[in-house]
Amino acid sequence: MLQLYFFPMACSLSSRIALLEAGIEAQYHLAHIWTKRLVDDGGDFLRVSPKGAVPVLVLENGERLTESAAVLQYIADVKPEVRLAPRPGDIDRYRLQEWLSFVGAEIHKAFLFPTFWYKDDGSLAKPRARIIETLSVPAAHLAGREFLVGDAFTVADAHLTWTLLLLRPAGIDIAQWPPLAAYLERMQARPAVRRAIAIEMALRKTVAA
Ligand SMILES: N[C@@H](CCC(=O)N[C@@H](CS)C(=O)NCC(=O)O)C(=O)O
C-alpha cells in the first residue's frame, strides 16, 4: 500500500486530494514539519527524508519519492484510467508539468512559503506585490475554462487548489480574480477535495502552528 507523509493543510494536501480522487487506499503519517518528528511514534522525520519536507510518498517497493510535482504524477499514473494526468507523450502532459512547476515555484515557494515561514518581518513586501501579478496568470487562463489542463480535473488542479485555499490566511483576497474565486468554489464542491480538507482541518487542530 502507498504511504504518504503529510502535515495538515501543507502542500501534501494536494497529494491527499489526488489519492482520494483516484480512489487509492493509502496509509497516512503525520510528520511535524517544524519539529521534524513523526507524530505516530516520535521518530525522526529526517530519517524518512533528509529534505525534512512533505510530501513524501513511500511506494509499494519501499522507495521514497519527494517533490509534489513528481509525487502527484506518480499517483496519477497508478490509476491511469481515472485520468488525473494526460498520457505521457501527449502535449497536455507537458502542459500539466508546466502548471505543476508554476504552482510549485511561483506560488508556493515564491510567496506562500516565505509568508508562512518568515511571518511578516518587513521582508515580504516584494513577494506580496509580485503574487498579485503571478495569480493573474491562472486567473486569465481559467476565464471561460473549467480546469487548468484539457477538459477534466487533473493533479495540477489539486495543487493549484491547495495554494488558493491558503490565500485568505496569507492575507490575499481571492475575490479580486473572479475566475479564480469561481474555480476554487467549483474545486471545493468536489467530494474528494471536501473530504481531504475536512480530514486535514480536523488534524490541524492537533498540531501547534
Ligand atoms: N519542492 C517541494 C517543497 C515541499 C515543501 O516545502 N513542503 C513544506 C510544507 S508545504 C515543508 O514540509 N516544509 C518544511 C521545511 O521546509 O522545513 C515540493 O514541491 O513538494
Side-chain angles (χ1 to χ4, degrees):
M1 188 185 289
L2 293 177
Q3 300 174 49
L4 180 71
Y5 286 84
F6 76 100
F7 185 75
M9 297 308 287
C11 54
S12 44
L13 179 76
S14 48
S15 297
R16 185 189 290 271
I17 292 173
L19 287 163
L20 293 177
E21 286 278 354
I24 297 171
E25 230 187 291
Q27 264 177 22
Y28 294 87
H29 305 288
L30 203 165
H32 203 301
I33 54 175
W34 313 126
T35 64
K36 310 297 179 199
R37 291 278 146 206
L38 300 174
V39 169
D40 290 350
D41 59 4
D44 185 357
F45 182 41
L46 291 170
R47 293 182 64 132
V48 175
S49 168
K51 291 180 179 171
V54 294
V56 179
L57 188 71
V58 185
L59 313 185
E60 305 275 359
N61 67 2
E63 270 191 57
R64 290 163 194 172
L65 194 60
T66 61
E67 300 299 322
S68 299
V71 167
L72 287 167
Q73 290 183 77
Y74 186 92
I75 293 169
D77 289 341
V78 168
K79 282 263 188 100
E81 65 277 19
V82 183
R83 294 182 176 272
L84 289 179
R87 286 178 201 290
D90 189 314
I91 178 64
D92 274 351
R93 185 63 176 241
Y94 301 99
R95 294 281 169 222
L96 180 95
Q97 292 178 9
E98 192 176 27
W99 279 113
L100 288 173
S101 300
F102 184 85
V103 171
E106 308 299 334
I107 306 178
H108 178 193
K109 283 296 170 171
F111 174 69
L112 292 176
F113 190 76
T115 301
F116 287 106
W117 190 266
Y118 302 120
K119 311 291 180 194
D120 204 341
D121 62 356
S123 63
L124 296 175
K126 280 191 180 162
R128 286 191 159 275
R130 192 175 159 103
I131 193 66
I132 305 299
E133 290 163 31
T134 304
L135 287 171
S136 69
V137 173
H141 181 75
L142 286 164
R145 239 194 211 100
E146 210 171 325
F147 303 101
L148 280 177
V149 181
D151 57 5
F153 181 92
T154 65
V155 290
D157 295 301
H159 210 29
L160 179 63
T161 296
W162 163 68
T163 62
L164 298 182
L165 287 168
L166 291 198
L167 289 185
R168 184 138 56 110
I172 303 288
D173 185 3
I174 196 174
Q176 62 194 294
W177 301 281
L180 279 188
Y183 169 84
L184 181 59
E185 214 174 293
R186 281 197 306 282
M187 294 302 118
Q188 285 187 272
R190 298 179 71 85
V193 175
R194 262 209 318 265
R195 193 158 152 239
I197 295 170
I199 292 168
E200 297 215 354
M201 285 305 285
L203 287 169
R204 178 101 199 142
K205 295 180 192 135
T206 69
V207 288

